[in-house]
Amino acid sequence: MDEWREITRTGDPIGLPPARKPAISALSFDVDHDLVWAGDENGRLFSLYGPELRKYTSFKAHSGSVKQLLSNERGIISVGDSIRMTNRRGMARWTINDDSVNDLQCMTYTGRGASEILVAGMQNDMLVVNIDRGTVIQKEPGPEQTAVMRRGRMICAGSSTGEVSLLDPKTFKVQHRFAAHTGTITDMDTQGNLLLTCGFSARHGQYVLDPIVKVFDLRTMRPLVPIPFPAGPTFIRMHPKLPSAIITAQMGQYHITDVNNVSDLKLRQATTASFISAVDLSPSGDAFALADADGIVQLWGTSDEPSFSEFASPVDWPDPVVPPPKVEFKEDTPLNMIGMPYYREELLSSWPATMLFEVGNPSPQIDPEVLATMKTVDFVGYAPNPRRKLRNQVEKNPDIEKMRGANNRGPRFRSERDKLGLSAGPDGSVTFEDMEDDVLGPSNVPRYYRKVEIQYSKFGIEDFDFGFYNKTAFAGLETHIPNSYCNALLQMYHFIPHLRRMSLAHMSSSCSRHKCMFCELGFLSNMLQDAKGQNCHASNFLRTLKSLKQASALGLLDGEDGIDGKIASRAPTIQSFNRFFLDQINMEGRETDQQPVTGDVQAAVTAKVATSIPADLMGMNITTLTRCTACASESVKPSTNMVFDLVYPKPHTNRREPPVPSFSSVLRASIHREGQTRAWCNNCRQYQLLGTRKLVRNLPPVLSLNAAVLTPDQWQCWASKSWPPPRIGLSLINNRVTCIHGRDLEKKTNDSRVHIYELTSIVAEIRADKNDTHLIALVKIPANDLSPEQAGNESPWYLFNDFLVKNVSEEEALSFPGAWKVPAVLCYQQVNVEEAITLNLPKPDMGILYQDYSIAAARDFRNFTAEILDPSELPGPDFVAAIDAEFVAMQQEETEVRSDGTKSTIRPSVLGLARVSVLRGKGEKEAVPFIDDYIATDEPVIDYLTEFSGIRHGDLDVGLSRHTLLPLKMAYKKLRLLVNLGCKFLGHGLAKDLRIINIIIPKEQIIDTVDLFYLKSRHRKLSLRFLAWYILHEEIQQDTHDSIEDARTALRLHQKYLEYEEAGVLETILHDLYNTGRRHNFRPPVKAEVEHAPPAIEAAFGGD
């Protein structure tokens, strides 16, 4: 640090005249780019690029002085009269300017990474701000009058009274305090175990700058030898790599000193006409910037071109303006010489229908008969009324009706549709398929292929109209869950009938794994079957995927925040997940003792019974022979391949348009994959050239292929009409696979050695946006899943674009018209697979309902509230189960603030099942619970919602819980078993509970008291607490919620409903119920008089 010298300076960074140059109040180097950021006393921010301090951006951020700046990969955070984050181009990302922002002075990052900052000042409370969402998530009482903060091993806060407070970076509680100066601390910095401070002290009744820099050891909380600086230290910056510090005075002198050797001083002088107002040292330690009150920024460094950051990213510069060509326009110059631009995208002037708004009806035309008979008196016309229309009646305007129809073509929330009286879904309303769409082409991506997103209203995700996107009988999957890119592949495997039955069989077995993807696949398939077109979500399956360490190691998971980033390609990820998923369920299938597959799968494997159901269905047994070319030694390795990656021939270099290889040749080469590689030979004891060849032992009934399209030449194969063939023929002769299709296959239809495979599903990547892609599934629905009307009138091919489901033609499904549609995974099934393989499904594991089980280590049997079912109480269609559940918050709601100050929901809060209680609805033990399970979780709980759930810290912890604690899978399996047995479920507001539990119960098996005591004309559903007060004369949910109490209350309400209906007084009571609720704001009075029944009930049952 001996050769520090001034490199450059700038005197007019924002272009103001000399008399109006504001003083620079804050200065900071960018951690991600070679930029220096500065903020002045007028609230303006500007940035300078590189060693030459080239102007980059300048914009107004605050109305007052800028106090401090922090850089982040997403932008720049500034503190002034508000807290604001802008991107590096000057566009605001968010602004916090409410009552919590009073007099803030400083900020620093917390110990939770770079997603939160701690802001403090002269106000009493410190603010914890989430910079991703731009919201204040926490308020903490902090040190008074905080003037400066720095973060090292602890958060150091210096106050205007000269006191330094050390805060815990996690709890923000003050751990230590000590007095550094008697006046205001002007600056401080910390590195390792050292803290350096400078500030004012009282001398002779006045405050003057201390002529020394005080040094403190944070390990012992004791002062060390101070650093003398007679010029008066005002600013301190410690070197990020060396044990050195730069101490700066207001008049421009600065010392470079070794902290461990305070006598080693190197003095420099920065020329300034006023005084230094801000300084900063670059993250690389190679550049030092000073700013003064005249708005001048000086750059000092050890070289002529210092780097500000270790790994600086390039900045985005504006595109250069290309001047238009000059055209000499004369009388004989043709107009086509001027030229017109070629538009690749839709012009902004082409307004979509959703941007046209109704502004009112035009004034109606006056009847000609009125004009003919009108008499004018004092500028007023009088005429008899022909009475051709009723009073206040207007004629229908076709233009207005057309505009209304266009506006109604967008998806509406259910609450809006109910308010406007519009219908939704397949009941005769406007749906997604009714909208006009683009033509399928090389550059035209139809709307139904594009990414669909869920919108959120104030009523949450339940209010979104999914029926607008799906009027088929097949359920789509929602996208608001992390890792939902798996939706397309899950839909593909759901419609493989044998794999579906295998997963249902595994789900019904006594699988002992707490987190089993094979069980979750069975649960999901069962739910998709019961949905009958209703939207579903795979949250339980994806939560299990997230818990597997191998999935994380393979890079199959989205970010920890659960928000999908902009991903250039999803195809490699879904192909890796395909391999992992099939291997995982294959391994889980081996561990479960269930009935294996029987039948003549192939002639080569009839003598051996498989031990893994998925491997027998989709596994190809292969023996790999490896031969050393030097010593001719051979090794044999058996394996089972569940997925094959297609291997394309190398592109030709001597021909411009090489012939497209046949799909059959590529598939055969991909299965055998013969070649030579250099590897270790155990016999030669050195690296040799080894040749490999593969012998195939069987042909699986289902063949899964990864398309592995990586280059444009490979995609050109799929652009040809012969790719992919709808049918192929595979034969196995002498352990070699032969593949044929097209006319060759037609000639071999009677050959018993040729097994015919049919293409049944494709997972494709849609690249409508080059920076963000998504996956869709094109599935040929099995004949058994189609209704007679669908089988006769529609194509069996369906598009599954997450929750958008649409019928498409086979030609469209198998074509790849443009580079925006890229195949990722294919599935071929043997045509006679029903004859080739059979499965004996095991009986459901009923013992789970009759056994007491808990994984809680500290279970207290005094808290055991359930009485387990007796085998004599076999649940069935006549069994009524009263159910209620409690939930905890696993992830907070994510919102963004628009430019107009309003908030919109990006992702709703995520709730997890914490407790479920099921009571008997009939019999001698009526209202006695037989399930009361708490759900163990190893994920962090953000909020236990104790006021609404009754769940407290430790209730869901295996080591601390004193209740009956079960894994989510086991609790879910109990409910799934009751649904499959045909039991009726009774509760209040079950729709939301069942949605969070992630289970669908057929409507004929649901009795919901929120719908029983409901008048459609009032547009309001009543709470359980209010119904209990009015109907049962009881007050519930006083301090907290209890699922047993709520389920028992719903059961009694249903009994009252049957009584009122039998007595013929239900309608009268419902009207009085709503009238009473309106008087009390639909809440029980604070002091409810429950001794007497409400008047309507007394009158209905003969009360006095």
Side-chain angles (χ1 to χ4, degrees), residues 274-587:
S274 54
F275 60 89
I276 301 298
S277 57
V279 303
D280 196 27
L281 183 64
S282 67
S284 65
D286 297 335
F288 182 59
L290 304 94
D292 60 20
D294 290 335
I296 297 176
V297 179
Q298 304 181 28
L299 182 67
W300 290 62
T302 57
S303 63
D304 293 336
E305 294 185 358
S307 177
F308 296 169
S309 178
E310 293 288 351
F311 305 100
S313 302
V315 298
D316 296 329
W317 294 96
D319 297 330
V321 178
V322 179
K326 294 183 179 180
V327 177
E328 295 183 2
F329 191 76
K330 301 178 181 179
E331 293 183 357
D332 57 347
T333 302
L335 292 178
N336 60 4
M337 291 293 295
I338 301 176
M340 292 293 291
Y342 177 73
Y343 300 105
R344 295 180 178 273
E345 299 178 353
E346 191 175 14
L347 297 179
L348 291 175
S349 59
S350 177
W351 291 92
T354 55
M355 295 294 293
L356 301 178
F357 303 98
E358 180 181 348
V359 295
N361 290 333
S363 300
Q365 294 182 353
I366 301 176
D367 194 318
E369 184 179 345
V370 174
L371 296 175
T373 58
M374 183 177 64
K375 296 181 180 179
T376 303
V377 179
D378 295 335
F379 305 102
V380 179
Y382 297 90
N385 186 359
R387 299 188 182 278
R388 295 178 180 175
K389 295 181 293 186
L390 300 176
R391 179 176 293 181
N392 298 326
Q393 182 182 9
V394 295
E395 294 180 355
K396 183 178 294 186
N397 189 318
D399 295 333
I400 296 298
E401 294 299 321
K402 183 178 180 180
M403 183 182 298
R404 286 174 177 169
N407 289 336
N408 287 339
R409 287 181 178 270
R412 292 185 180 272
F413 294 113
R414 293 178 179 178
S415 55
E416 293 180 357
R417 288 191 176 275
D418 293 341
K419 185 176 180 180
L420 297 176
L422 300 175
S423 57
D427 299 329
S429 67
V430 177
T431 59
F432 193 86
E433 293 193 358
D434 299 323
M435 301 178 67
E436 296 180 1
D437 218 322
D438 301 330
V439 179
L440 193 71
S443 59
N444 294 329
V445 184
R447 186 179 290 109
Y448 52 86
Y449 277 98
R450 295 180 180 271
K451 190 173 184 178
V452 289
E453 295 182 356
I454 299 175
Q455 302 174 8
Y456 305 98
S457 71
K458 63 181 180 180
F459 299 107
I461 191 174
E462 293 83 3
D463 193 33
F464 185 71
D465 184 15
F466 289 99
F468 175 81
Y469 293 94
N470 182 12
K471 64 176 184 179
T472 70
F474 308 107
L477 292 173
E478 299 171 13
T479 60
H480 66 288
I481 312 164
N483 307 306
S484 58
Y485 73 89
C486 303
N487 287 348
L489 194 71
L490 295 177
Q491 291 281 18
M492 183 181 84
Y493 284 138
H494 169 67
F495 287 103
I496 298 179
H498 273 78
L499 184 60
R500 183 199 310 170
R501 288 198 289 269
M502 291 174 185
S503 63
L504 294 176
H506 186 86
M507 173 197 75
S508 303
S509 68
S510 56
C511 176
S512 59
R513 295 176 66 96
H514 291 173
K515 296 180 179 179
C516 175
M517 293 190 68
F518 208 2
C519 284
E520 295 298 341
L521 179 65
F523 294 143
L524 179 61
S525 295
N526 205 162
M527 181 169 60
L528 291 173
Q529 279 184 312
D530 293 342
K532 301 186 186 306
Q534 180 183 348
N535 58 291
C536 302
H537 57 94
S539 58
N540 290 354
F541 179 92
L542 298 178
R543 186 179 289 115
T544 302
L545 172 65
K546 184 179 179 181
S547 67
L548 299 178
K549 296 181 179 180
Q550 187 179 0
S552 178
L554 292 174
L556 302 180
L557 305 182
D558 289 331
E560 293 180 358
D561 55 1
I563 301 177
D564 293 350
K566 297 290 184 180
I567 297 177
S569 178
R570 280 288 191 185
T573 307
I574 197 64
Q575 291 166 1
S576 298
F577 173 74
N578 186 29
R579 288 188 291 268
F580 165 76
F581 172 68
L582 293 179
D583 289 340
Q584 182 70 19
I585 63 173
N586 182 44
M587 181 265 295

Side-chain angles (χ1 to χ4, degrees), residues 760-775:
T760 57
S761 51
I762 302 173
V763 173
E765 182 180 36
I766 303 302
R767 299 176 178 176
D769 184 353
K770 63 180 180 180
N771 295 323
D772 192 14
T773 64
H774 68 285
L775 300 168

Side-chain angles (χ1 to χ4, degrees), residues 700-770:
V702 178
L703 188 63
S704 179
L705 304 175
N706 284 340
V709 177
L710 302 177
T711 65
D713 292 335
Q714 295 172 355
W715 180 84
Q716 288 296 332
C717 298
W718 296 89
S720 64
K721 295 182 178 180
S722 60
W723 281 61
R727 286 197 170 197
I728 60 175
L730 298 181
S731 59
L732 186 62
I733 302 174
N734 297 327
N735 298 327
R736 305 289 292 180
V737 174
T738 302
C739 181
I740 57 176
H741 70 277
R743 294 181 179 178
D744 294 337
L745 179 61
E746 295 176 0
K747 299 176 182 179
K748 298 285 186 177
T749 53
N750 297 325
D751 192 342
S752 59
R753 296 176 300 175
V754 177
H755 300 271
I756 299 176
Y757 287 77
E758 185 178 47
L759 180 61
T760 57
S761 51
I762 302 173
V763 173
E765 182 180 36
I766 303 302
R767 299 176 178 176
D769 184 353
K770 63 180 180 180

Side-chain angles (χ1 to χ4, degrees), residues 1000-1049:
I1000 286 183
I1001 301 177
K1003 293 182 179 179
E1004 59 270 14
Q1005 293 179 233
I1006 291 181
I1007 304 173
D1008 199 334
T1009 54
V1010 78
D1011 296 324
L1012 299 182
F1013 295 93
Y1014 172 62
L1015 289 176
K1016 292 185 178 180
S1017 59
R1018 300 299 182 97
H1019 300 290
R1020 184 188 184 103
K1021 294 187 177 182
L1022 305 180
S1023 67
L1024 181 66
R1025 184 182 178 192
F1026 179 73
L1027 290 175
W1029 169 76
Y1030 182 90
I1031 303 294
L1032 306 178
H1033 328 310
E1034 293 181 357
E1035 292 190 356
I1036 63 173
Q1037 303 173 352
Q1038 291 296 305
D1039 299 324
T1040 183
H1041 288 224
D1042 182 86
S1043 54
I1044 292 180
E1045 179 187 48
D1046 292 351
R1048 187 176 289 122
T1049 302

Side-chain angles (χ1 to χ4, degrees), residues 1043-1064:
S1043 54
I1044 292 180
E1045 179 187 48
D1046 292 351
R1048 187 176 289 122
T1049 302
L1051 180 61
R1052 295 182 58 194
L1053 286 174
H1054 178 246
Q1055 294 170 347
K1056 287 291 184 181
Y1057 172 84
L1058 297 178
E1059 293 179 14
Y1060 299 156
E1061 192 176 41
E1062 184 178 358

